[in-house]
Amino acid sequence: MSVLLKPVLYSYFRSSCSWRVRIALALKGIEYDLVPVNLIKDGGQQLGSDYRKVNPMQQVPALTIDGLKLSQSLAIIQYLDETRPTPRLLPQDPKKRAQVRMISDHIVSGIQPLQNLAVLKQVGEEKMVSWAQHYITRGFQALEQLLQDTAGKYCVEDEVSMADLCLVPQVYNAERFKVDLTPYPTITRINQALLELEAFKQAHPSRQPDTPPEMRA
């Protein structure tokens, strides 16, 4: 008789991509074991040969589940939604589903990669903050406009979706880099509503096993 193994999430407490997946797992009530991968310690633990076997791109997150080894946060979230569809994170209605994917890709492809750790290291310490502020601001200007057509209580009407899982970590990054959020009232309102939900609280960087003591809630 086969033994069902608990999923294993390879994560870094402050990684936006890991955070999205943690929210999805929390929303769906999926228990998992967490393996911390420190992106800074030892020159970056994700760059070691052992972790390369888990994720050849040497990034977090990675998730082992159902005999699969998955990477890329949106691919993981969509797999979870297809195999464990309650609560649904991608709407059944094709128009709403397209809107959720559009907003998710806008953040995941158009904003976050331009201010992640690997890029900022190449930019250099002197330009790091101004670079991040520029690309977050540019992305938020477009995102605020997009949300005028899609938002209800959350990014796409009144149900939590994959788009919301992408939004919250990106707002956190904006605050880290001291981006003025005043021009983005819709983004701010949705983010505040989401942070009241228990799954989002559980997944927050301040509450992870690998969170440094000084950053714990």
Side-chain angles (χ1 to χ4, degrees), residues 100-111:
V100 166
R101 286 175 169 151
M102 172 183 68
I103 294 166
S104 301
D105 284 339
H106 179 91
I107 296 169
V108 171
S109 300
I111 305 175

Side-chain angles (χ1 to χ4, degrees), residues 23 30 34 61 122 162 177 181 203:
I23 299 170
I30 301 170
L34 187 139
Q122 294 298 314
M162 183 170 69
F177 290 111
L181 297 178

Side-chain angles (χ1 to χ4, degrees), residues 72-211:
Q72 298 301 325
S73 62
L74 295 196
I76 293 170
I77 292 166
Q78 290 179 72
Y79 176 78
L80 294 176
D81 212 48
E82 290 167 359
T83 58
R84 297 153 176 87
T86 305
R88 189 173 293 278
L89 298 177
L90 284 155
Q92 288 185 300
D93 178 79
K95 292 181 179 179
K96 293 180 185 177
R97 192 161 63 245
Q99 290 175 325
V100 166
R101 286 175 169 151
M102 172 183 68
I103 294 166
S104 301
D105 284 339
H106 179 91
I107 296 169
V108 171
S109 300
I111 305 175
Q112 188 268 328
L114 292 165
Q115 44 93 126
N116 70 9
L117 181 62
V119 170
L120 293 179
K121 280 184 176 179
Q122 294 298 314
V123 169
E125 192 169 341
E126 289 185 9
K127 296 181 179 179
M128 188 179 294
V129 173
S130 61
W131 174 283
Q133 287 176 340
H134 171 77
Y135 284 105
I136 294 171
T137 298
R138 182 173 178 270
F140 273 18
Q141 288 171 347
L143 181 59
E144 181 72 17
Q145 185 174 335
L146 289 175
L147 291 172
Q148 303 306 309
D149 296 328
T150 66
K153 187 174 182 181
Y154 305 120
C155 283
V156 178
E157 299 191 2
D158 298 328
E159 299 296 328
V160 174
S161 71
M162 183 170 69
D164 299 297
L165 278 57
C166 298
L167 179 76
V168 167
Q170 187 54 61
V171 174
Y172 177 89
N173 286 338
E175 292 172 340
R176 275 183 63 205
F177 290 111
K178 302 189 183 337
V179 172
D180 180 12
L181 297 178
T182 306
Y184 317 115
T186 311
I187 292 173
T188 301
R189 174 183 61 76
I190 294 170
N191 181 68
Q192 290 172 345
L194 291 165
L195 288 175
E196 294 298 316
L197 303 178
E198 183 58 31
F200 285 77
K201 293 178 181 179
Q202 290 178 21
H204 196 274
S206 64
R207 296 179 62 176
Q208 301 313 302
D210 58 328
T211 304

